Amino acid sequence: MPPNLPYDIFIGIALTFGAGILAQWVAWKLRLPAIVLLFTIGLIVGPGLDLLHPSESMGWVFRPLVSLLVAIVVFEGGMALDIRQLRDAGEGVMRLTLVALPINWVLGSLAAHFVAHLEWGTSLLFGAIIVVTGPTVILPLLRSAKLKPRLAAFLRWEAIVNDPLGAILAAVVLQLLMLHVDVHTSVFFTHTLPDLLSATALSIAAGIAPAYMIRTLFVRDLMPEILKMPALLSLALVIFSACNTEMEGAGLIAVTVFGMALTNLHIPGIAELRRNKESLVVLVVSVLFILLTADLQRGALAHLSIPIMALTFVVLFAVRPLGIFLATLGSDMTWRERVFVGWIAPRGIVAAAVAGASGIRLHDSGYHSADLIMPAVFGVIAVTMLLHGFSLRPLARSMKLSFSSEPALAIVGASAWSINLATTLKAAAVPILMVDSRANALMPAARQKISVLRAELLSRHGQEALEERPADYLISTTADGIYNGMICGHLAPALGRERVFQISPGVARLDLYHGLSRDARGKVLGEPAWNFMLFESLFGQGWRFSTQPATEGDGETFGKRENRLDLMFIRRKAGIFILSAEDQTPATPVEGDLLVFMTPPEPQPIEG
């Protein structure tokens, strides 16, 4: 081994981390599917330029490391599965998991045999691998797509639940093929099937029991805050490894159940830990996609023949849509939801990892077409990520299954002047949500046909209700400065700390403010002197909010005019730019933006 090889591995891994996060940022900035950029980077540095070969460089460590990282991703996905979401999506979720999975397996196996001319054994394994829709792909897409809650729940639950089930199915099929066990023999019913059932039951128990132990430790204050996140991750990896020794794929079931149990036991503080872990998962997914794609061999790509490509398109346009259609017959899913779910099914890391390991083992057992498993699965992964990644948002918008692509604003605190602001923005076609815990305060806004939400946003119910009508920006406008700060601090991790604002607590200089620190409150709306009493007083004097398109000269004068309060400007399909005295580099409007400001009443002519 060359003496500089370990150093080269270190540089390669470090650059992979950097490239992954850069791709995530570019995707966020350009509103592109991050998975597609990560996949492209992996192809370029791997089989393209021949710069990165993870499995060769890292040796036997590579596959176990990938498995552990996949376990972290699946664990985080399990924590996103709240049982209460099944109230609206329950029947559809059951159809997409318990019914659609075996149908898609059968249809995928038939397609592999008759379209790509694979052996029956290889076809059955291919069909088992492609039944999964990877959470590593679906979850990032859902975060940016703004789908309606019910449809998002369908895709989320299907991806996370089918992922371990598909891995188990592939492992069982592989074991049967390697042992040449006939499902009609007594060996299958006396040994194979009981082993499968016992391993599954053990995995479920291994996921539930530690969750209760964690709840006891957290509730009784037997775990310091600094150790809570390391304890959860370490325990998830231990559970995954222990269950995988019983049966390949059982670990994924265990960590999924573990994550679900933690969420549904409603352990205090678990939501904050989950947010921290989501950041870690973004990094893990970025690195995994680049490494696994870079690990593809040019020889595997050379096997992408016409039959393999034909199989890919049959899976996309026939197997998946037909499977979903059959599985959802008679369900309460609308035809739009069925068409959408039948199309959107990107495969991800688990499919790639299972295909890479099982193809080699199956070939060693005498199945000559097993060499085509990896290129066939790779074709499905590549095409589904590209087509589904780029089509998800446009298709959802065209089928009216998503919220508006225009940036939305939530205004907390219904008062006469804040309702006037909401009415003005609604008239300008800006999506608005008025939030208050008092029904009588919201009635004037509801009469103006403004979307209203009666909820306490500091409660679990309020936060869940807000997720059903997502907002991109928030302004808290109540008379209580401390409450405004608490709202902004509570929602900042979800919306972004630079997107939550509150009216001034009423001080002339913010550096003299002795209330909540900047980390525990939102940015101040406008100037420090613009407090609740000022807005209410001006409104009583006849001041009202108005909008007008920005002209060429407004970039220099906006926010500096006398006798006018400039609040924000809106750039269509781009963002809402709210002015704040705390801006380090204030944004300036350009021609075509929509300016929002408050002006005094027109002077009345003096009657002679």
Side-chain angles (χ1 to χ4, degrees):
M1 178 182 294
N4 64 335
L5 185 56
Y7 182 76
D8 291 341
I9 293 175
F10 173 78
I11 293 295
I13 293 176
L15 291 177
T16 301
F17 275 88
I21 296 303
L22 178 62
Q24 292 278 0
W25 181 83
V26 171
W28 169 79
K29 194 68 176 177
L30 302 180
R31 297 191 173 188
L32 297 174
I35 301 301
V36 175
L37 296 184
L38 297 170
F39 189 75
T40 303
I41 292 174
L43 284 180
I44 292 174
V45 300
L49 299 178
D50 206 26
L51 297 177
L52 187 63
H53 303 285
S55 60
E56 294 180 10
S57 302
M58 301 174 67
W60 65 269
V61 176
F62 179 66
R63 290 297 169 186
L65 178 62
V66 167
S67 297
L68 291 176
L69 293 179
V70 168
I72 293 176
V73 175
V74 174
F75 170 50
E76 193 272 334
M79 293 184 72
L81 298 181
D82 195 324
I83 296 296
R84 285 170 296 186
Q85 295 173 343
L86 291 178
R87 288 177 296 187
D88 295 326
E91 182 186 0
V93 170
M94 297 298 290
R95 297 291 190 102
L96 295 176
T97 52
L98 299 182
V99 180
L101 188 145
I103 293 177
N104 285 329
W105 176 38
V106 172
L107 294 177
S109 301
L110 292 174
H113 181 71
F114 291 107
V115 176
H117 311 297
L118 304 182
E119 298 169 272
W120 273 116
T122 308
S123 299
L124 290 171
L125 182 60
F126 171 82
I129 293 173
I130 62 151
V131 297
V132 300
T133 57
T136 53
V137 187
I138 284 290
L139 297 182
L141 290 176
L142 293 182
R143 291 189 186 104
S144 60
K146 298 178 73 171
L147 297 182
K148 292 186 176 178
R150 173 181 158 100
L151 181 61
F154 287 148
L155 295 175
R156 183 186 303 112
W157 277 80
E158 182 199 14
I160 297 172
V161 173
N162 276 5
D163 217 39
L165 293 180
I168 287 282
L169 177 61
V172 171
V173 171
L174 179 62
Q175 292 290 67
L176 294 176
L177 293 176
M178 292 175 61
L179 297 173
H180 301 279
V181 174
D182 190 340
V183 295
H184 298 293
T185 64
S186 60
V187 175
F188 176 78
F189 291 99
T190 58
H191 292 87
T192 307
L193 185 59
D195 288 347
L196 171 63
L197 296 176
S198 63
T200 303
L202 178 64
S203 300
I204 294 174
I208 294 176
Y212 278 94
M213 180 190 72
I214 288 293
R215 186 180 70 167
T216 300
L217 293 175
F218 284 17
V219 170
R220 296 185 179 181
D221 196 24
L222 298 177
M223 179 73 69
E225 290 294 326
I226 196 171
L227 290 181
K228 286 184 176 180
M229 177 59 71
L232 291 181
L233 290 176
S234 300
L235 190 54
L237 295 178
V238 169
I239 293 170
F240 170 79
S241 302
C243 291
N244 258 14
T245 59
E246 180 69 18
M247 185 180 70
E248 188 73 24
L252 292 177
I253 289 183
V255 292
T256 301
V257 173
F258 181 45
M260 284 183 61
L262 289 173
T263 292
N264 290 281
L265 286 174
H266 308 305
I267 303 171
I270 204 70
E272 182 180 355
L273 294 176
R274 179 186 162 194
R275 282 196 295 265
N276 294 334
K277 196 162 66 60
E278 282 179 351
S279 301
L280 173 63
V281 168
V282 169
L283 181 62
V284 169
V285 168
S286 303
V287 173
L288 274 176
F289 259 103
I290 293 178
L291 291 180
L292 286 174
T293 310
D295 201 49
L296 289 169
Q297 302 297 321
R298 290 182 178 179
L301 299 181
H303 283 98
L304 291 175
S305 58
I306 293 178
I308 294 296
M309 295 308 297
L311 172 62
T312 299
F313 284 95
V314 168
V315 169
L316 261 71
F317 296 101
V319 171
R320 169 74 178 187
L322 180 58
I324 296 300
F325 173 78
L326 295 175
T328 56
L329 280 175
S331 71
D332 62 351
M333 293 177 66
T334 66
W335 71 267
R336 287 187 176 89
E337 291 171 339
R338 295 169 71 187
V339 170
F340 190 85
V341 173
W343 169 245
I344 299 299
R347 277 65 170 189
I349 287 174
V350 172
V354 173
S358 59
I360 298 173
R361 296 172 64 186
L362 193 62
H363 181 270
D364 294 341
S365 297
Y367 292 87
H368 301 294
S369 61
D371 288 339
L372 298 177
I373 283 283
M374 188 59 189
V377 173
F378 165 77
V380 173
I381 293 173
V383 175
T384 54
M385 279 201 299
L386 290 171
L387 295 185
H388 297 168
F390 281 113
S391 66
L392 187 146
R393 291 171 65 176
L395 180 62
R397 285 198 300 268
S398 64
M399 300 184 74
K400 299 181 179 180
L401 293 172
S402 65
F403 295 100
S404 171
S405 59
E406 290 288 344
L409 174 66
I411 300 177
V412 181
S415 59
W417 67 266
S418 65
I419 292 175
N420 176 240
L421 173 60
T423 305
T424 304
L425 292 173
K426 182 179 183 298
V430 178
I432 289 291
L433 176 66
M434 179 66 69
V435 185
D436 204 301
S437 59
R438 302 164 298 162
N440 59 335
L442 290 172
M443 288 178 63
R447 283 196 290 266
Q448 298 289 333
K449 300 190 183 304
I450 296 171
S451 179
V452 298
L453 171 62
R454 182 191 175 191
E456 171 53 71
L457 293 186
L458 294 177
S459 68
R460 177 183 292 273
H461 163 73
Q463 195 162 359
E464 290 174 352
L466 185 63
E467 289 175 358
E468 294 180 0
R469 283 175 276 187
D472 301 290
Y473 300 84
L474 179 140
I475 302 177
S476 191
T477 66
T478 74
D480 189 338
I482 298 297
Y483 178 78
N484 291 335
M486 292 175 64
I487 289 288
C488 292
H490 186 63
L491 296 176
L495 298 180
R497 196 161 294 280
E498 297 300 309
R499 294 188 171 202
V500 291
F501 294 79
Q502 66 179 91
I503 56 174
S504 173
V507 293
R509 289 172 48 190
L510 289 174
D511 58 340
L512 299 178
Y513 178 53
H514 298 296
L516 298 175
S517 68
R518 177 66 183 88
D519 291 336
R521 62 172 175 83
K523 294 176 68 175
V524 167
L525 173 66
E527 298 296 328
W530 296 6
N531 58 14
F532 182 86
M533 294 303 299
L534 174 68
F535 281 109
E536 191 153 85
S537 173
L538 293 178
F539 187 82
Q541 297 171 30
W543 287 54
R544 295 296 184 267
F545 290 97
S546 302
T547 62
Q548 73 178 34
T551 59
E552 187 176 350
D554 284 321
E556 297 179 0
T557 60
F558 191 68
K560 302 174 183 176
R561 294 189 179 185
E562 295 183 1
N563 208 34
R564 191 175 95 170
L565 302 186
D566 292 328
L567 263 70
M568 66 186 79
F569 61 90
I570 296 155
R571 193 163 294 163
R572 296 298 184 185
K573 298 187 183 301
I576 300 175
F577 298 86
I578 302 173
L579 271 63
S580 173
E582 297 180 282
D583 285 333
Q584 297 296 320
T585 54
T588 55
V590 297
E591 188 173 0
D593 290 344
L594 184 69
L595 307 181
V596 182
F597 47 84
M598 193 178 195
T599 56
E602 295 290 336
Q604 298 295 323
I606 301 176
E607 297 182 1

